[in-house]
């Protein structure tokens, strides 16, 4: 993996035309990879974990309320130390995954942190053996750890699936050569892929970006280049998925998990029937949403059938537009400020303090994310900014995550982390604010149509596509339980959900069956993808409440974000008069997408 993907000269020049794209300043974590501060913290982590274990192992059940509070707060400080170290190593690595030095630092620190934290494995295991009566007494006492109860309620939900101390320690130690190693192989492979498009050599991100090009021939060339490279590498990706799915199945069997998805639902603090209601509502709406919209799009493009490279194509009347970084920043911050000046103030430092890494660079990880690091520092946002309108929406999305993470940090390390089902709330809301602000300023009918269509496509990608992804994962894990899957087996599962979700207007080129290979969520976070659809549906319902003028909406919204993981989704949504366990809740969100399609059809008239 020493060879770096190449970018053509035109790509480099274009990226410069966006203005000064910011890069991360990781100095708030550590000054340098060889800094004494980093070495000191690694040693401090090792000593703190050993000291914690010697003080508390085999003693948790005997602690009184004040003693348990002190124990939990000491554990939280160790968590911050480990999180700070791994955040620094991970962020440096994602800036250039093909750099051998960065990969080595990540691997070495991962090993050191894993070894250092092995003595802590006892904590959750022993905690879950505390009797219900003692647990209740300690966590309801005035001088006790009552505020941390949501964390430990979730931990105790794992009690039926807990293994022996010895086995749990083995799994902890083994993780660096298990899923983590396969994750890293996937990341390094995708970062190193090169695609020949009309004589230009591009990386994955730049090639995927071609699928939104105005030139249909260029889109087709990009799609075929992707298909060719994915097909040549499909055996490796099939091996990664086979191994990870089997590893998960083995662990799930030992833990007596009733389904492959159950662990994700537990960690998300969401009931399986709520996820099933979401999934069923979306799949039932395919004809009313994606099938209907893509039929409209085929007519706009003058085509009887759409090819996969037409799915995210701009409209024919849409003027190609490159948006500079300064304009993107102003657009998002103005939209945020229109909702509340406080929202814009929370987002501002990301631009000014080196909290965003925006440029497309050789070896840089594809996609975009917001990483919370630890609550004593601040989040960092990664983008691959290419000046497209969708990139502005991605900026709005990731800044929403960043703002959410900043607000939730007040809860402290253990309570700040938001379950995945609610983690997309602020990001999708930020996108919606930006979209509505842009739409309100747009009077030209062609531009308005392009904006509406773009939003429908984003929502379709967030809801329809992600539920199709979820169904693919469910099928993949079920099939893997019956035996090893060939690349053709996995390809067939992928195509079954694509045809169902996209509808009859699509034709699928040879090679599209391999497009499951590059989706990182299947590798890094099994069954994560439904959280996007959950978040979109939740935000659509929230936004409807905002538009209806719900009293004190802004303050309620900030309270919800600041709660982090301290409350269940029922508690968080109650002030807005919403309940995700009500099957009708999801239809509210889906009806908003239908309403936008109605508006597009009206523009046709």
């Amino acid at each position: 993996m020493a060879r770096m993907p190449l970018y053509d000269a035109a790509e480099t020049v274009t990226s410069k035309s966006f203005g000064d794209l910011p890069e991360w300043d990781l100095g708030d974590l550590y000054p340098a990879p060889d800094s004494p501060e980093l070495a000191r913290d690694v040693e401090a982590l090792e000593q703190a974990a050993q000291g914690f274990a010697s003080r508390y192992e085999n003693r948790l059940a005997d602690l009184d309320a004040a003693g348990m509070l002190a124990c939990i707060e000491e554990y939280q400080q160790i968590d911050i130390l480990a999180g700070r170290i791994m955040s620094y190593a991970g962020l440096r690595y994602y800036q250039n995954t093909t750099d051998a030095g960065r990969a080595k630092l990540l691997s070495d620190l991962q090993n050191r942190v894993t070894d250092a934290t092995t003595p802590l494995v006892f904590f959750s295991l022993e905690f879950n053996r505390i009797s219900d009566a003692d647990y209740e007494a300690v966590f309801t006492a005035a001088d006790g750890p009552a505020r941390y109860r949501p964390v430990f309620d979730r931990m105790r939900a794992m009690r039926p699936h807990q293994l022996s101390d010895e086995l749990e320690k083995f799994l902890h130690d083994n993780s660096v050569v298990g899923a983590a190693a396969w994750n890293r192989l996937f990341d390094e492979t995708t970062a190193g892929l090169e695609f020949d498009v009309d004589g230009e050599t591009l990386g994955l991100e730049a090639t995927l970006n071609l699928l939104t090009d105005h030139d249909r021939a260029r889109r087709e060339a990009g799609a075929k280049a992707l298909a060719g490279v994915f097909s040549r590498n499909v055996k490796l990706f099939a091996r990664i998925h086979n191994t990870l799915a089997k590893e998960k199945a083995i662990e799930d069997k030992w833990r007596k998990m009733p389904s492959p998805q159950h662990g994700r639902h537990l960690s998300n603090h969401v009931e399986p029937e709520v996820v099933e209601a979401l999934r069923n509502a979306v799949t039932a709406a395919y004809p009313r949403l994606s099938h209907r919209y893509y039929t409209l799009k085929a007519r706009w493009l003058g085509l009887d059938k759409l090819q996969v490279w037409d799915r995210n194509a701009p409209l024919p009347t849409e003027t190609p537009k490159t948006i500079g970084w300064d304009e993107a920043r102003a657009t998002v911050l103005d939209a945020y400020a229109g909702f509340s000046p406080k929202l814009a103030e929370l987002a501002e430092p990301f631009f000014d303090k080196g909290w965003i890494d925006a440029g497309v660079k050789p070896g840089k990880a594809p996609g975009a994310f917001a990483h919370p690091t630890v609550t004593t520092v601040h989040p960092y946002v990664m983008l691959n900014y290419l000046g497209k309108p969708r990139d502005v929406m991605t900026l709005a999305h990731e800044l929403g995550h960043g703002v959410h993470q900043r607000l939730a940090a007040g809860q402290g390390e253990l309570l700040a982390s938001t379950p995945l089902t609610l983690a997309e709330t602020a990001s999708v809301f930020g996108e919606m604010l930006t979209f509505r602000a842009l739409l309100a300023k747009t009077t030209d009918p062609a531009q308005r149509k392009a904006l509406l269509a773009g939003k429908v496509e984003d929502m379709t990608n967030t809801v329809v596509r992600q539920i199709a992804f979820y169904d693919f994962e469910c099928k993949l894990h079920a099939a893997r339980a019956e035996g090893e899957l060939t690349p053709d087996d996995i390809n067939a599962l992928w195509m079954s959900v694509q045809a169902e979700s996209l509808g009859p207007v699509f034709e699928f080129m040879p090679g599209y069956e391999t497009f499951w290979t590059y989706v990182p969520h299947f590798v890094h976070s099994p069954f994560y993808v439904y959280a996007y659809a959950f978040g979109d549906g939740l935000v659509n319902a929230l936004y409807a409440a905002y538009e209806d003028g719900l009293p004190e909406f802004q303050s309620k919204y900030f309270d919800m974000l600041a709660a982090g993981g301290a409350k269940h989704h029922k508690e968080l949504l109650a002030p807005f008069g919403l309940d995700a366990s009500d099957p009708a809740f999801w239809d509210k969100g889906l009806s908003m997408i239908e309403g936008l399609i109605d508006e597009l059809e009206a523009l046709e008239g």
Side-chain angles (χ1 to χ4, degrees), residues 592-604:
M592 181 173 281
I593 307 176
E594 283 188 82
L596 295 176
I597 299 174
D598 289 343
E599 195 171 340
L600 279 168
E601 285 185 333
L603 288 173
E604 291 287 285

Side-chain angles (χ1 to χ4, degrees), residues 380-563:
Y380 283 91
V381 164
M382 192 193 85
L383 306 170
N384 278 276
Y385 189 82
L386 289 166
K388 297 287 180 74
R390 272 196 174 88
D391 294 335
V392 180
M393 289 300 174
T394 301
L395 172 62
H397 180 102
E398 299 305 341
L399 275 180
H401 277 306
V403 166
H404 194 172
Q405 290 159 357
R406 289 194 73 197
L407 285 166
Q411 294 289 345
E413 194 69 21
L414 294 179
L415 280 165
S417 181
T418 308
L420 292 183
T421 43
L422 296 167
E424 296 298 329
T425 305
S427 54
V428 179
F429 199 88
E431 278 190 81
M432 181 64 83
L433 289 172
T434 305
F435 164 71
R436 291 293 183 185
L438 287 170
L439 193 66
K441 291 192 295 188
T442 304
T443 53
D444 178 76
Q447 288 183 2
R448 188 175 181 85
K449 180 178 174 181
L451 260 180
L452 281 166
K455 186 58 180 170
V456 169
E457 290 193 12
D458 287 343
M459 294 170 97
T460 300
N461 286 335
T462 303
V463 177
V464 170
R465 188 164 170 78
Q466 300 304 326
I467 290 300
F469 280 2
Y470 177 67
D471 277 356
F472 167 72
E473 284 191 275
C474 292
K475 290 183 175 187
L476 176 74
H477 285 261
R480 182 64 181 92
E482 301 300 316
E484 177 90 5
L485 300 173
T486 67
D488 286 344
D489 293 334
I490 305 177
N491 291 347
L493 296 177
W494 173 256
M495 291 310 297
S496 71
V497 300
Q498 293 300 302
E500 180 189 14
S501 61
L502 295 177
V505 77
F506 271 91
E507 285 181 345
F508 298 101
M509 68 171 183
Y512 182 67
E513 66 274 7
T514 63
F515 273 46
W516 55 270
T517 55
Y518 79 92
V519 182
H521 298 87
F522 302 154
V523 173
H524 289 292
S525 306
F527 305 107
Y528 177 102
V529 288
Y530 74 74
Y532 287 112
F534 195 109
D536 197 271
L538 190 153
V539 165
N540 288 343
L542 273 178
Y543 202 87
Y546 170 52
E547 284 191 318
D548 289 345
L550 182 75
E552 299 177 1
F553 183 93
Q554 279 87 341
S555 64
K556 291 175 180 177
Y557 179 72
F558 285 121
D559 287 346
M560 179 176 69
L561 299 188

Side-chain angles (χ1 to χ4, degrees), residues 69-356:
L69 177 60
C71 170
I72 288 170
E73 291 185 336
E74 185 177 340
Y75 182 88
Q76 182 168 245
Q77 291 307 307
I78 296 171
D79 209 29
I80 289 172
L81 206 52
R84 189 183 193 115
I85 293 164
M86 290 314 302
S87 291
Y88 178 71
L91 292 173
R92 276 191 84 250
Y93 171 71
Y94 282 121
Q95 281 184 301
N96 187 352
T97 61
T98 55
D99 181 277
R102 292 173 189 241
K104 176 176 166 51
L105 181 75
L106 176 63
S107 180
D108 289 349
L109 287 176
Q110 204 162 38
N111 289 334
R112 290 280 300 271
V113 168
T114 300
D115 290 344
T117 54
T118 296
L120 304 178
V121 173
F122 84 90
F123 182 70
S124 60
L125 306 177
E126 195 175 315
F127 199 97
N128 280 349
R129 289 197 290 268
I130 297 172
S131 72
D132 288 340
D134 288 345
Y135 177 73
E136 196 66 29
V138 165
F139 274 80
T140 53
D143 60 343
R147 71 175 300 266
Y148 293 103
R149 180 159 185 166
V151 176
F152 293 97
D153 280 350
R154 288 197 285 274
M155 183 188 289
R156 284 170 77 82
M158 283 295 293
R159 289 168 84 190
H161 312 293
Q162 189 167 294
L163 303 176
S164 69
D165 291 16
E166 192 174 30
L167 269 175
E168 292 288 0
K169 287 178 180 177
F170 168 76
L171 288 173
H172 179 86
D173 284 349
N174 198 55
S175 64
V176 293
V177 291
W182 290 96
N183 276 236
R184 187 171 151 194
L185 174 62
F186 174 85
D187 289 340
E188 291 178 356
T189 301
T190 52
L193 292 177
E194 295 179 345
F195 302 84
D196 187 299
V197 184
D198 298 331
E200 301 172 274
T201 303
L202 304 177
L204 176 59
E205 194 71 29
T207 311
L208 287 168
N209 187 58
L210 292 178
L211 301 183
T212 61
D213 201 278
H214 277 263
D215 183 346
R216 191 170 192 238
R218 189 83 169 141
R219 295 198 306 272
E220 180 179 355
K224 289 183 173 176
L226 290 165
V229 173
F230 294 158
S231 297
R232 286 194 292 277
N233 289 275
V234 72
K235 287 184 179 179
L236 173 60
F237 287 112
R239 171 59 47 226
I240 292 170
H241 282 70
N242 267 292
T243 304
L244 286 172
K246 184 62 176 177
E247 183 194 52
K248 187 179 190 310
I250 292 168
E251 187 170 332
D252 284 351
K253 180 182 75 173
W254 279 81
R255 292 192 183 282
K256 296 182 173 60
M257 292 285 183
S259 72
Q261 303 85 353
H262 195 73
R264 175 63 66 201
H265 300 336
L266 281 175
S267 67
N268 281 345
H269 206 206
V270 66
E271 301 75 17
E273 56 270 21
V274 172
V275 179
E276 192 63 14
L278 163 64
R279 183 259 169 205
N280 291 341
V282 174
T283 54
Y286 284 168
R288 308 196 309 273
L289 302 179
S290 48
H291 298 187
R292 179 178 165 214
Y293 172 73
Y294 289 128
T295 300
L296 264 180
K297 186 164 189 175
R299 190 159 75 238
W300 297 334
L301 295 174
L303 300 168
D304 293 326
K305 288 283 187 180
L306 292 180
Q307 301 293 337
V308 294
W309 55 82
D310 298 316
R311 186 171 63 83
N312 288 321
L315 303 191
T317 54
E318 194 176 338
T319 307
K321 187 179 182 186
T322 298
I323 300 167
W325 180 251
D326 288 345
E327 184 184 346
R329 169 185 171 146
T331 298
V332 175
L333 289 181
D334 287 352
Y336 275 29
F339 172 77
S340 166
K342 178 181 176 180
L343 196 62
E345 286 165 17
L346 286 162
E348 193 91 42
F350 285 87
F351 295 96
D352 298 332
K353 296 187 175 182
W355 299 1
I356 298 178

